[in-house]
Amino acid sequence: MILSNNACLVPTSFWLTGIPGLESLHIWLSIPFGSMYLVAVVGNVAILAVIKLENSLHQPMYFFLCMLAVIDLVLSTSTMPKLLAIFWFDAHHIDLDACLAQMFFIHCFATVESGIFLAMAFDRYVAICNPLRHTSVLTHTAVRHLGVAALLRGVLYIGPLPIMIRLRLPLYRTQTITHSYCEHMAVVTLACGDTTVNNLYGMGIGFLVLILDSLAITASYTMIFRTVMGLATPEARLKTLGTCSSHICAILVFYIPIAVSSLTHRFGHHVPPHIHILLANFYLLIPPILNPVVYAVRTKQIRKRLLHILKA
């Protein structure tokens, strides 16, 4: 840590507070957070194993589900081990480079996950609205290309965030981040100097990812529902919609916690800080926990294979 002439700091590390205001409860909070992280890891690893072992699941929708499982493992592992270390060992310090790396992984893979949901919506659109072309359009190569495109988009969108912090914001008023992980705005608000560019870029990325992706997904499902309503019998409509139910549930599980956390962070100025931080942690934990549950419950092949593995 170096002091500049104007009393701003040139930090080599930061201090993560954990859950501010609930420090006395950290050891108790570690129980639900540790349990949720364990469930997320076991659930997503189980999904990956089942899809690998079950040849009938080697289809585009389940390949996208594998991508979601890997992303959820990265997202939860980017934050939870450090949070648990804070709870258990008071390991509050995090090096500057580690902080920026954590920031990149969190925001990058949240962006990638949104892109995978968009690709899954396209898969459902082709499968329902143009079923005769589904196998020719969503080939294994096409699925791989969509996954790579989602990853590259995440890297290109989020890559500049830590770079801009490194180049534009070397000085900070304090090294204490009132958060449990290195979230972009939590770091930027501590900086000395003009943060307008960083703020505008962060808001722009949020708009591009959350708003545009959700609008594109909504448009695809509007066309899907229009096609489904044109089917001859109610049974056919329900059966067709059933193929989309898991994806719709996963989308809601992903976007609703992020939207609530973002709105609370930007507009909930009277909300206690520990509520902000708890919501921010939940939006990184809830999708990794619930996605495997949703697909295991809603997908017959996955459910049967899981039961077979458990009985073995």
PDB file of all heavy atoms in Angstrom, residues 61 124-125 127-129 220-231 233-250 294-295 298-299:
ATOM      1  N   MET A  61     -30.126 -29.430 -26.962  1.00  0.00           N
ATOM      2  CA  MET A  61     -30.618 -28.860 -25.715  1.00  0.00           C
ATOM      3  C   MET A  61     -29.779 -29.287 -24.524  1.00  0.00           C
ATOM      4  O   MET A  61     -29.490 -28.497 -23.619  1.00  0.00           O
ATOM      5  CB  MET A  61     -32.075 -29.263 -25.494  1.00  0.00           C
ATOM      6  CG  MET A  61     -32.691 -28.644 -24.250  1.00  0.00           C
ATOM      7  SD  MET A  61     -34.462 -28.921 -24.104  1.00  0.00           S
ATOM      8  CE  MET A  61     -34.503 -30.682 -23.742  1.00  0.00           C
ATOM      9  N   ARG A 124     -35.009 -23.977 -29.134  1.00  0.00           N
ATOM     10  CA  ARG A 124     -36.433 -24.287 -28.949  1.00  0.00           C
ATOM     11  C   ARG A 124     -37.281 -23.695 -30.075  1.00  0.00           C
ATOM     12  O   ARG A 124     -38.259 -24.303 -30.529  1.00  0.00           O
ATOM     13  CB  ARG A 124     -36.931 -23.752 -27.606  1.00  0.00           C
ATOM     14  CG  ARG A 124     -36.382 -24.447 -26.377  1.00  0.00           C
ATOM     15  CD  ARG A 124     -36.773 -25.929 -26.338  1.00  0.00           C
ATOM     16  NE  ARG A 124     -35.857 -26.758 -27.106  1.00  0.00           N
ATOM     17  CZ  ARG A 124     -36.141 -27.953 -27.598  1.00  0.00           C
ATOM     18  NH1 ARG A 124     -37.343 -28.468 -27.435  1.00  0.00           N
ATOM     19  NH2 ARG A 124     -35.248 -28.649 -28.270  1.00  0.00           N
ATOM     20  N   TYR A 125     -36.894 -22.512 -30.563  1.00  0.00           N
ATOM     21  CA  TYR A 125     -37.630 -21.892 -31.670  1.00  0.00           C
ATOM     22  C   TYR A 125     -37.553 -22.755 -32.930  1.00  0.00           C
ATOM     23  O   TYR A 125     -38.566 -23.028 -33.578  1.00  0.00           O
ATOM     24  CB  TYR A 125     -37.068 -20.498 -31.950  1.00  0.00           C
ATOM     25  CG  TYR A 125     -37.507 -19.934 -33.281  1.00  0.00           C
ATOM     26  CD1 TYR A 125     -38.800 -19.447 -33.462  1.00  0.00           C
ATOM     27  CD2 TYR A 125     -36.625 -19.897 -34.373  1.00  0.00           C
ATOM     28  CE1 TYR A 125     -39.209 -18.948 -34.691  1.00  0.00           C
ATOM     29  CE2 TYR A 125     -37.028 -19.408 -35.594  1.00  0.00           C
ATOM     30  CZ  TYR A 125     -38.316 -18.939 -35.751  1.00  0.00           C
ATOM     31  OH  TYR A 125     -38.721 -18.452 -36.970  1.00  0.00           O
ATOM     32  N   ALA A 127     -36.782 -25.974 -33.076  1.00  0.00           N
ATOM     33  CA  ALA A 127     -37.382 -27.279 -32.827  1.00  0.00           C
ATOM     34  C   ALA A 127     -38.901 -27.251 -32.947  1.00  0.00           C
ATOM     35  O   ALA A 127     -39.523 -28.231 -33.392  1.00  0.00           O
ATOM     36  CB  ALA A 127     -36.980 -27.786 -31.450  1.00  0.00           C
ATOM     37  N   ILE A 128     -39.523 -26.144 -32.564  1.00  0.00           N
ATOM     38  CA  ILE A 128     -40.986 -26.071 -32.548  1.00  0.00           C
ATOM     39  C   ILE A 128     -41.553 -25.397 -33.803  1.00  0.00           C
ATOM     40  O   ILE A 128     -42.547 -25.861 -34.365  1.00  0.00           O
ATOM     41  CB  ILE A 128     -41.458 -25.336 -31.283  1.00  0.00           C
ATOM     42  CG1 ILE A 128     -41.116 -26.180 -30.059  1.00  0.00           C
ATOM     43  CG2 ILE A 128     -42.953 -25.028 -31.324  1.00  0.00           C
ATOM     44  CD1 ILE A 128     -41.345 -25.485 -28.731  1.00  0.00           C
ATOM     45  N   CYS A 129     -40.904 -24.329 -34.240  1.00  0.00           N
ATOM     46  CA  CYS A 129     -41.444 -23.576 -35.377  1.00  0.00           C
ATOM     47  C   CYS A 129     -40.981 -24.124 -36.727  1.00  0.00           C
ATOM     48  O   CYS A 129     -41.639 -23.894 -37.737  1.00  0.00           O
ATOM     49  CB  CYS A 129     -41.055 -22.101 -35.263  1.00  0.00           C
ATOM     50  SG  CYS A 129     -41.704 -21.302 -33.779  1.00  0.00           S
ATOM     51  N   SER A 220     -38.408 -14.745 -29.230  1.00  0.00           N
ATOM     52  CA  SER A 220     -38.413 -16.127 -29.700  1.00  0.00           C
ATOM     53  C   SER A 220     -39.578 -16.908 -29.095  1.00  0.00           C
ATOM     54  O   SER A 220     -40.247 -17.690 -29.789  1.00  0.00           O
ATOM     55  CB  SER A 220     -37.080 -16.812 -29.356  1.00  0.00           C
ATOM     56  OG  SER A 220     -36.953 -17.016 -27.965  1.00  0.00           O
ATOM     57  N   TYR A 221     -39.863 -16.673 -27.823  1.00  0.00           N
ATOM     58  CA  TYR A 221     -40.968 -17.389 -27.184  1.00  0.00           C
ATOM     59  C   TYR A 221     -42.331 -16.867 -27.639  1.00  0.00           C
ATOM     60  O   TYR A 221     -43.319 -17.615 -27.619  1.00  0.00           O
ATOM     61  CB  TYR A 221     -40.831 -17.363 -25.667  1.00  0.00           C
ATOM     62  CG  TYR A 221     -40.043 -18.541 -25.174  1.00  0.00           C
ATOM     63  CD1 TYR A 221     -38.699 -18.420 -24.838  1.00  0.00           C
ATOM     64  CD2 TYR A 221     -40.615 -19.804 -25.105  1.00  0.00           C
ATOM     65  CE1 TYR A 221     -37.958 -19.513 -24.422  1.00  0.00           C
ATOM     66  CE2 TYR A 221     -39.882 -20.905 -24.691  1.00  0.00           C
ATOM     67  CZ  TYR A 221     -38.557 -20.751 -24.359  1.00  0.00           C
ATOM     68  OH  TYR A 221     -37.826 -21.847 -23.967  1.00  0.00           O
ATOM     69  N   THR A 222     -42.384 -15.620 -28.033  1.00  0.00           N
ATOM     70  CA  THR A 222     -43.631 -15.115 -28.618  1.00  0.00           C
ATOM     71  C   THR A 222     -43.958 -15.881 -29.893  1.00  0.00           C
ATOM     72  O   THR A 222     -45.108 -16.296 -30.117  1.00  0.00           O
ATOM     73  CB  THR A 222     -43.512 -13.612 -28.924  1.00  0.00           C
ATOM     74  OG1 THR A 222     -43.255 -12.896 -27.714  1.00  0.00           O
ATOM     75  CG2 THR A 222     -44.796 -13.078 -29.555  1.00  0.00           C
ATOM     76  N   MET A 223     -42.949 -16.097 -30.745  1.00  0.00           N
ATOM     77  CA  MET A 223     -43.169 -16.874 -31.974  1.00  0.00           C
ATOM     78  C   MET A 223     -43.448 -18.338 -31.665  1.00  0.00           C
ATOM     79  O   MET A 223     -44.266 -18.983 -32.341  1.00  0.00           O
ATOM     80  CB  MET A 223     -41.947 -16.719 -32.889  1.00  0.00           C
ATOM     81  CG  MET A 223     -41.799 -15.322 -33.466  1.00  0.00           C
ATOM     82  SD  MET A 223     -40.420 -15.148 -34.627  1.00  0.00           S
ATOM     83  CE  MET A 223     -39.035 -15.070 -33.489  1.00  0.00           C
ATOM     84  N   ILE A 224     -42.808 -18.866 -30.622  1.00  0.00           N
ATOM     85  CA  ILE A 224     -43.069 -20.257 -30.226  1.00  0.00           C
ATOM     86  C   ILE A 224     -44.517 -20.422 -29.771  1.00  0.00           C
ATOM     87  O   ILE A 224     -45.224 -21.340 -30.199  1.00  0.00           O
ATOM     88  CB  ILE A 224     -42.095 -20.682 -29.110  1.00  0.00           C
ATOM     89  CG1 ILE A 224     -40.678 -20.873 -29.681  1.00  0.00           C
ATOM     90  CG2 ILE A 224     -42.569 -21.972 -28.436  1.00  0.00           C
ATOM     91  CD1 ILE A 224     -39.614 -21.096 -28.621  1.00  0.00           C
ATOM     92  N   PHE A 225     -44.984 -19.518 -28.906  1.00  0.00           N
ATOM     93  CA  PHE A 225     -46.359 -19.616 -28.398  1.00  0.00           C
ATOM     94  C   PHE A 225     -47.375 -19.443 -29.526  1.00  0.00           C
ATOM     95  O   PHE A 225     -48.431 -20.072 -29.523  1.00  0.00           O
ATOM     96  CB  PHE A 225     -46.598 -18.578 -27.302  1.00  0.00           C
ATOM     97  CG  PHE A 225     -45.861 -18.865 -26.027  1.00  0.00           C
ATOM     98  CD1 PHE A 225     -45.313 -17.836 -25.266  1.00  0.00           C
ATOM     99  CD2 PHE A 225     -45.707 -20.163 -25.567  1.00  0.00           C
ATOM    100  CE1 PHE A 225     -44.634 -18.100 -24.091  1.00  0.00           C
ATOM    101  CE2 PHE A 225     -45.026 -20.447 -24.388  1.00  0.00           C
ATOM    102  CZ  PHE A 225     -44.490 -19.418 -23.654  1.00  0.00           C
ATOM    103  N   ARG A 226     -47.056 -18.579 -30.491  1.00  0.00           N
ATOM    104  CA  ARG A 226     -47.960 -18.395 -31.624  1.00  0.00           C
ATOM    105  C   ARG A 226     -48.077 -19.694 -32.417  1.00  0.00           C
ATOM    106  O   ARG A 226     -49.164 -20.080 -32.840  1.00  0.00           O
ATOM    107  CB  ARG A 226     -47.435 -17.261 -32.518  1.00  0.00           C
ATOM    108  CG  ARG A 226     -48.393 -16.830 -33.617  1.00  0.00           C
ATOM    109  CD  ARG A 226     -47.812 -15.655 -34.386  1.00  0.00           C
ATOM    110  NE  ARG A 226     -47.563 -14.512 -33.492  1.00  0.00           N
ATOM    111  CZ  ARG A 226     -46.831 -13.468 -33.833  1.00  0.00           C
ATOM    112  NH1 ARG A 226     -46.228 -13.426 -35.017  1.00  0.00           N
ATOM    113  NH2 ARG A 226     -46.678 -12.468 -32.987  1.00  0.00           N
ATOM    114  N   THR A 227     -46.940 -20.371 -32.594  1.00  0.00           N
ATOM    115  CA  THR A 227     -46.968 -21.658 -33.304  1.00  0.00           C
ATOM    116  C   THR A 227     -47.723 -22.711 -32.502  1.00  0.00           C
ATOM    117  O   THR A 227     -48.524 -23.476 -33.042  1.00  0.00           O
ATOM    118  CB  THR A 227     -45.532 -22.138 -33.581  1.00  0.00           C
ATOM    119  OG1 THR A 227     -44.862 -21.170 -34.397  1.00  0.00           O
ATOM    120  CG2 THR A 227     -45.532 -23.490 -34.283  1.00  0.00           C
ATOM    121  N   VAL A 228     -47.482 -22.743 -31.187  1.00  0.00           N
ATOM    122  CA  VAL A 228     -48.125 -23.742 -30.332  1.00  0.00           C
ATOM    123  C   VAL A 228     -49.642 -23.547 -30.318  1.00  0.00           C
ATOM    124  O   VAL A 228     -50.409 -24.522 -30.369  1.00  0.00           O
ATOM    125  CB  VAL A 228     -47.558 -23.663 -28.897  1.00  0.00           C
ATOM    126  CG1 VAL A 228     -48.397 -24.492 -27.930  1.00  0.00           C
ATOM    127  CG2 VAL A 228     -46.115 -24.127 -28.884  1.00  0.00           C
ATOM    128  N   MET A 229     -50.097 -22.302 -30.271  1.00  0.00           N
ATOM    129  CA  MET A 229     -51.538 -22.040 -30.245  1.00  0.00           C
ATOM    130  C   MET A 229     -52.225 -22.464 -31.536  1.00  0.00           C
ATOM    131  O   MET A 229     -53.438 -22.637 -31.578  1.00  0.00           O
ATOM    132  CB  MET A 229     -51.801 -20.550 -29.990  1.00  0.00           C
ATOM    133  CG  MET A 229     -51.437 -20.096 -28.579  1.00  0.00           C
ATOM    134  SD  MET A 229     -52.329 -20.998 -27.273  1.00  0.00           S
ATOM    135  CE  MET A 229     -51.049 -22.070 -26.650  1.00  0.00           C
ATOM    136  N   GLY A 230     -51.430 -22.647 -32.591  1.00  0.00           N
ATOM    137  CA  GLY A 230     -51.999 -23.095 -33.859  1.00  0.00           C
ATOM    138  C   GLY A 230     -52.125 -24.602 -33.981  1.00  0.00           C
ATOM    139  O   GLY A 230     -52.644 -25.107 -34.988  1.00  0.00           O
ATOM    140  N   LEU A 231     -51.634 -25.342 -32.962  1.00  0.00           N
ATOM    141  CA  LEU A 231     -51.753 -26.797 -33.008  1.00  0.00           C
ATOM    142  C   LEU A 231     -53.205 -27.232 -32.806  1.00  0.00           C
ATOM    143  O   LEU A 231     -54.005 -26.536 -32.177  1.00  0.00           O
ATOM    144  CB  LEU A 231     -50.867 -27.422 -31.934  1.00  0.00           C
ATOM    145  CG  LEU A 231     -49.352 -27.189 -32.102  1.00  0.00           C
ATOM    146  CD1 LEU A 231     -48.582 -27.799 -30.946  1.00  0.00           C
ATOM    147  CD2 LEU A 231     -48.861 -27.772 -33.426  1.00  0.00           C
ATOM    148  N   THR A 233     -54.859 -29.783 -31.139  1.00  0.00           N
ATOM    149  CA  THR A 233     -55.482 -30.244 -29.896  1.00  0.00           C
ATOM    150  C   THR A 233     -54.776 -29.665 -28.668  1.00  0.00           C
ATOM    151  O   THR A 233     -53.579 -29.354 -28.715  1.00  0.00           O
ATOM    152  CB  THR A 233     -55.430 -31.786 -29.800  1.00  0.00           C
ATOM    153  OG1 THR A 233     -54.053 -32.199 -29.734  1.00  0.00           O
ATOM    154  CG2 THR A 233     -56.101 -32.414 -31.018  1.00  0.00           C
ATOM    155  N   PRO A 234     -55.518 -29.532 -27.560  1.00  0.00           N
ATOM    156  CA  PRO A 234     -54.893 -29.064 -26.319  1.00  0.00           C
ATOM    157  C   PRO A 234     -53.772 -29.976 -25.849  1.00  0.00           C
ATOM    158  O   PRO A 234     -52.769 -29.503 -25.291  1.00  0.00           O
ATOM    159  CB  PRO A 234     -56.051 -29.064 -25.316  1.00  0.00           C
ATOM    160  CG  PRO A 234     -57.278 -28.960 -26.138  1.00  0.00           C
ATOM    161  CD  PRO A 234     -56.979 -29.698 -27.416  1.00  0.00           C
ATOM    162  N   GLU A 235     -53.912 -31.283 -26.076  1.00  0.00           N
ATOM    163  CA  GLU A 235     -52.869 -32.228 -25.675  1.00  0.00           C
ATOM    164  C   GLU A 235     -51.567 -31.945 -26.414  1.00  0.00           C
ATOM    165  O   GLU A 235     -50.479 -31.997 -25.823  1.00  0.00           O
ATOM    166  CB  GLU A 235     -53.322 -33.666 -25.930  1.00  0.00           C
ATOM    167  CG  GLU A 235     -54.458 -34.144 -25.033  1.00  0.00           C
ATOM    168  CD  GLU A 235     -55.815 -33.627 -25.482  1.00  0.00           C
ATOM    169  OE1 GLU A 235     -55.903 -33.047 -26.589  1.00  0.00           O
ATOM    170  OE2 GLU A 235     -56.788 -33.792 -24.713  1.00  0.00           O
ATOM    171  N   ALA A 236     -51.682 -31.677 -27.714  1.00  0.00           N
ATOM    172  CA  ALA A 236     -50.489 -31.367 -28.511  1.00  0.00           C
ATOM    173  C   ALA A 236     -49.827 -30.077 -28.040  1.00  0.00           C
ATOM    174  O   ALA A 236     -48.601 -29.968 -27.990  1.00  0.00           O
ATOM    175  CB  ALA A 236     -50.854 -31.271 -29.989  1.00  0.00           C
ATOM    176  N   ARG A 237     -50.668 -29.102 -27.664  1.00  0.00           N
ATOM    177  CA  ARG A 237     -50.121 -27.833 -27.181  1.00  0.00           C
ATOM    178  C   ARG A 237     -49.366 -28.033 -25.869  1.00  0.00           C
ATOM    179  O   ARG A 237     -48.249 -27.511 -25.696  1.00  0.00           O
ATOM    180  CB  ARG A 237     -51.257 -26.831 -26.971  1.00  0.00           C
ATOM    181  CG  ARG A 237     -51.959 -26.399 -28.246  1.00  0.00           C
ATOM    182  CD  ARG A 237     -53.214 -25.614 -27.930  1.00  0.00           C
ATOM    183  NE  ARG A 237     -54.077 -25.493 -29.093  1.00  0.00           N
ATOM    184  CZ  ARG A 237     -55.354 -25.138 -29.046  1.00  0.00           C
ATOM    185  NH1 ARG A 237     -55.922 -24.885 -27.872  1.00  0.00           N
ATOM    186  NH2 ARG A 237     -56.060 -25.053 -30.153  1.00  0.00           N
ATOM    187  N   LEU A 238     -49.967 -28.761 -24.942  1.00  0.00           N
ATOM    188  CA  LEU A 238     -49.315 -28.999 -23.660  1.00  0.00           C
ATOM    189  C   LEU A 238     -48.026 -29.787 -23.817  1.00  0.00           C
ATOM    190  O   LEU A 238     -47.012 -29.502 -23.165  1.00  0.00           O
ATOM    191  CB  LEU A 238     -50.266 -29.739 -22.720  1.00  0.00           C
ATOM    192  CG  LEU A 238     -51.434 -28.922 -22.159  1.00  0.00           C
ATOM    193  CD1 LEU A 238     -52.380 -29.812 -21.366  1.00  0.00           C
ATOM    194  CD2 LEU A 238     -50.924 -27.777 -21.287  1.00  0.00           C
ATOM    195  N   LYS A 239     -48.039 -30.795 -24.679  1.00  0.00           N
ATOM    196  CA  LYS A 239     -46.847 -31.606 -24.888  1.00  0.00           C
ATOM    197  C   LYS A 239     -45.714 -30.770 -25.476  1.00  0.00           C
ATOM    198  O   LYS A 239     -44.547 -30.891 -25.068  1.00  0.00           O
ATOM    199  CB  LYS A 239     -47.159 -32.775 -25.813  1.00  0.00           C
ATOM    200  CG  LYS A 239     -45.983 -33.722 -26.019  1.00  0.00           C
ATOM    201  CD  LYS A 239     -46.369 -34.903 -26.893  1.00  0.00           C
ATOM    202  CE  LYS A 239     -45.176 -35.846 -27.105  1.00  0.00           C
ATOM    203  NZ  LYS A 239     -45.538 -36.998 -27.977  1.00  0.00           N
ATOM    204  N   THR A 240     -46.065 -29.900 -26.433  1.00  0.00           N
ATOM    205  CA  THR A 240     -45.043 -29.050 -27.057  1.00  0.00           C
ATOM    206  C   THR A 240     -44.500 -28.033 -26.070  1.00  0.00           C
ATOM    207  O   THR A 240     -43.285 -27.806 -25.981  1.00  0.00           O
ATOM    208  CB  THR A 240     -45.627 -28.338 -28.286  1.00  0.00           C
ATOM    209  OG1 THR A 240     -46.170 -29.305 -29.188  1.00  0.00           O
ATOM    210  CG2 THR A 240     -44.555 -27.532 -29.004  1.00  0.00           C
ATOM    211  N   LEU A 241     -45.397 -27.409 -25.303  1.00  0.00           N
ATOM    212  CA  LEU A 241     -44.944 -26.440 -24.306  1.00  0.00           C
ATOM    213  C   LEU A 241     -44.108 -27.109 -23.221  1.00  0.00           C
ATOM    214  O   LEU A 241     -43.215 -26.489 -22.641  1.00  0.00           O
ATOM    215  CB  LEU A 241     -46.145 -25.734 -23.673  1.00  0.00           C
ATOM    216  CG  LEU A 241     -46.842 -24.674 -24.520  1.00  0.00           C
ATOM    217  CD1 LEU A 241     -48.064 -24.139 -23.802  1.00  0.00           C
ATOM    218  CD2 LEU A 241     -45.884 -23.535 -24.860  1.00  0.00           C
ATOM    219  N   GLY A 242     -44.386 -28.387 -22.954  1.00  0.00           N
ATOM    220  CA  GLY A 242     -43.614 -29.114 -21.949  1.00  0.00           C
ATOM    221  C   GLY A 242     -42.145 -29.206 -22.282  1.00  0.00           C
ATOM    222  O   GLY A 242     -41.300 -29.261 -21.379  1.00  0.00           O
ATOM    223  N   THR A 243     -41.822 -29.220 -23.583  1.00  0.00           N
ATOM    224  CA  THR A 243     -40.412 -29.271 -23.974  1.00  0.00           C
ATOM    225  C   THR A 243     -39.687 -27.954 -23.670  1.00  0.00           C
ATOM    226  O   THR A 243     -38.466 -27.915 -23.667  1.00  0.00           O
ATOM    227  CB  THR A 243     -40.281 -29.577 -25.481  1.00  0.00           C
ATOM    228  OG1 THR A 243     -40.851 -28.500 -26.244  1.00  0.00           O
ATOM    229  CG2 THR A 243     -41.007 -30.870 -25.845  1.00  0.00           C
ATOM    230  N   CYS A 244     -40.457 -26.875 -23.428  1.00  0.00           N
ATOM    231  CA  CYS A 244     -39.857 -25.566 -23.140  1.00  0.00           C
ATOM    232  C   CYS A 244     -39.869 -25.232 -21.660  1.00  0.00           C
ATOM    233  O   CYS A 244     -39.226 -24.260 -21.244  1.00  0.00           O
ATOM    234  CB  CYS A 244     -40.622 -24.457 -23.883  1.00  0.00           C
ATOM    235  SG  CYS A 244     -40.676 -24.621 -25.669  1.00  0.00           S
ATOM    236  N   SER A 245     -40.611 -25.997 -20.857  1.00  0.00           N
ATOM    237  CA  SER A 245     -40.839 -25.601 -19.466  1.00  0.00           C
ATOM    238  C   SER A 245     -39.551 -25.504 -18.653  1.00  0.00           C
ATOM    239  O   SER A 245     -39.372 -24.565 -17.867  1.00  0.00           O
ATOM    240  CB  SER A 245     -41.817 -26.585 -18.804  1.00  0.00           C
ATOM    241  OG  SER A 245     -41.303 -27.904 -18.848  1.00  0.00           O
ATOM    242  N   SER A 246     -38.638 -26.461 -18.840  1.00  0.00           N
ATOM    243  CA  SER A 246     -37.381 -26.427 -18.081  1.00  0.00           C
ATOM    244  C   SER A 246     -36.570 -25.195 -18.432  1.00  0.00           C
ATOM    245  O   SER A 246     -35.999 -24.526 -17.549  1.00  0.00           O
ATOM    246  CB  SER A 246     -36.570 -27.697 -18.364  1.00  0.00           C
ATOM    247  OG  SER A 246     -37.263 -28.842 -17.960  1.00  0.00           O
ATOM    248  N   HIS A 247     -36.530 -24.881 -19.728  1.00  0.00           N
ATOM    249  CA  HIS A 247     -35.769 -23.715 -20.172  1.00  0.00           C
ATOM    250  C   HIS A 247     -36.375 -22.426 -19.624  1.00  0.00           C
ATOM    251  O   HIS A 247     -35.653 -21.535 -19.155  1.00  0.00           O
ATOM    252  CB  HIS A 247     -35.750 -23.676 -21.704  1.00  0.00           C
ATOM    253  CG  HIS A 247     -34.943 -22.546 -22.253  1.00  0.00           C
ATOM    254  ND1 HIS A 247     -35.399 -21.708 -23.241  1.00  0.00           N
ATOM    255  CD2 HIS A 247     -33.700 -22.088 -21.941  1.00  0.00           C
ATOM    256  CE1 HIS A 247     -34.489 -20.803 -23.520  1.00  0.00           C
ATOM    257  NE2 HIS A 247     -33.440 -21.014 -22.754  1.00  0.00           N
ATOM    258  N   ILE A 248     -37.704 -22.319 -19.631  1.00  0.00           N
ATOM    259  CA  ILE A 248     -38.369 -21.128 -19.111  1.00  0.00           C
ATOM    260  C   ILE A 248     -38.078 -20.974 -17.613  1.00  0.00           C
ATOM    261  O   ILE A 248     -37.773 -19.874 -17.139  1.00  0.00           O
ATOM    262  CB  ILE A 248     -39.884 -21.196 -19.374  1.00  0.00           C
ATOM    263  CG1 ILE A 248     -40.157 -21.121 -20.882  1.00  0.00           C
ATOM    264  CG2 ILE A 248     -40.610 -20.067 -18.652  1.00  0.00           C
ATOM    265  CD1 ILE A 248     -41.603 -21.377 -21.262  1.00  0.00           C
ATOM    266  N   CYS A 249     -38.166 -22.070 -16.873  1.00  0.00           N
ATOM    267  CA  CYS A 249     -37.868 -22.022 -15.435  1.00  0.00           C
ATOM    268  C   CYS A 249     -36.422 -21.583 -15.188  1.00  0.00           C
ATOM    269  O   CYS A 249     -36.152 -20.750 -14.307  1.00  0.00           O
ATOM    270  CB  CYS A 249     -38.101 -23.390 -14.803  1.00  0.00           C
ATOM    271  SG  CYS A 249     -39.832 -23.876 -14.699  1.00  0.00           S
ATOM    272  N   ALA A 250     -35.477 -22.122 -15.957  1.00  0.00           N
ATOM    273  CA  ALA A 250     -34.066 -21.768 -15.795  1.00  0.00           C
ATOM    274  C   ALA A 250     -33.834 -20.293 -16.106  1.00  0.00           C
ATOM    275  O   ALA A 250     -33.042 -19.615 -15.423  1.00  0.00           O
ATOM    276  CB  ALA A 250     -33.200 -22.647 -16.686  1.00  0.00           C
ATOM    277  N   VAL A 294     -34.180 -28.218 -11.570  1.00  0.00           N
ATOM    278  CA  VAL A 294     -35.232 -28.004 -12.569  1.00  0.00           C
ATOM    279  C   VAL A 294     -35.137 -29.045 -13.674  1.00  0.00           C
ATOM    280  O   VAL A 294     -36.136 -29.694 -14.032  1.00  0.00           O
ATOM    281  CB  VAL A 294     -35.134 -26.581 -13.153  1.00  0.00           C
ATOM    282  CG1 VAL A 294     -35.979 -26.457 -14.420  1.00  0.00           C
ATOM    283  CG2 VAL A 294     -35.574 -25.550 -12.119  1.00  0.00           C
ATOM    284  N   TYR A 295     -33.939 -29.252 -14.206  1.00  0.00           N
ATOM    285  CA  TYR A 295     -33.801 -30.191 -15.325  1.00  0.00           C
ATOM    286  C   TYR A 295     -33.928 -31.638 -14.869  1.00  0.00           C
ATOM    287  O   TYR A 295     -34.427 -32.478 -15.615  1.00  0.00           O
ATOM    288  CB  TYR A 295     -32.472 -29.951 -16.039  1.00  0.00           C
ATOM    289  CG  TYR A 295     -32.563 -28.809 -17.022  1.00  0.00           C
ATOM    290  CD1 TYR A 295     -32.201 -27.519 -16.653  1.00  0.00           C
ATOM    291  CD2 TYR A 295     -33.049 -29.016 -18.310  1.00  0.00           C
ATOM    292  CE1 TYR A 295     -32.303 -26.467 -17.542  1.00  0.00           C
ATOM    293  CE2 TYR A 295     -33.149 -27.964 -19.210  1.00  0.00           C
ATOM    294  CZ  TYR A 295     -32.780 -26.692 -18.816  1.00  0.00           C
ATOM    295  OH  TYR A 295     -32.902 -25.651 -19.699  1.00  0.00           O
ATOM    296  N   ARG A 298     -37.787 -32.001 -14.414  1.00  0.00           N
ATOM    297  CA  ARG A 298     -38.612 -31.817 -15.607  1.00  0.00           C
ATOM    298  C   ARG A 298     -38.218 -32.708 -16.777  1.00  0.00           C
ATOM    299  O   ARG A 298     -38.964 -32.816 -17.742  1.00  0.00           O
ATOM    300  CB  ARG A 298     -38.538 -30.347 -16.062  1.00  0.00           C
ATOM    301  CG  ARG A 298     -38.996 -29.329 -15.041  1.00  0.00           C
ATOM    302  CD  ARG A 298     -40.480 -29.384 -14.792  1.00  0.00           C
ATOM    303  NE  ARG A 298     -41.238 -29.252 -16.033  1.00  0.00           N
ATOM    304  CZ  ARG A 298     -42.557 -29.345 -16.107  1.00  0.00           C
ATOM    305  NH1 ARG A 298     -43.246 -29.605 -15.011  1.00  0.00           N
ATOM    306  NH2 ARG A 298     -43.180 -29.199 -17.253  1.00  0.00           N
ATOM    307  N   THR A 299     -37.045 -33.304 -16.730  1.00  0.00           N
ATOM    308  CA  THR A 299     -36.570 -34.101 -17.865  1.00  0.00           C
ATOM    309  C   THR A 299     -36.546 -35.573 -17.482  1.00  0.00           C
ATOM    310  O   THR A 299     -35.782 -35.996 -16.608  1.00  0.00           O
ATOM    311  CB  THR A 299     -35.158 -33.647 -18.301  1.00  0.00           C
ATOM    312  OG1 THR A 299     -35.184 -32.240 -18.546  1.00  0.00           O
ATOM    313  CG2 THR A 299     -34.745 -34.355 -19.578  1.00  0.00           C
TER     314      THR A 299
END
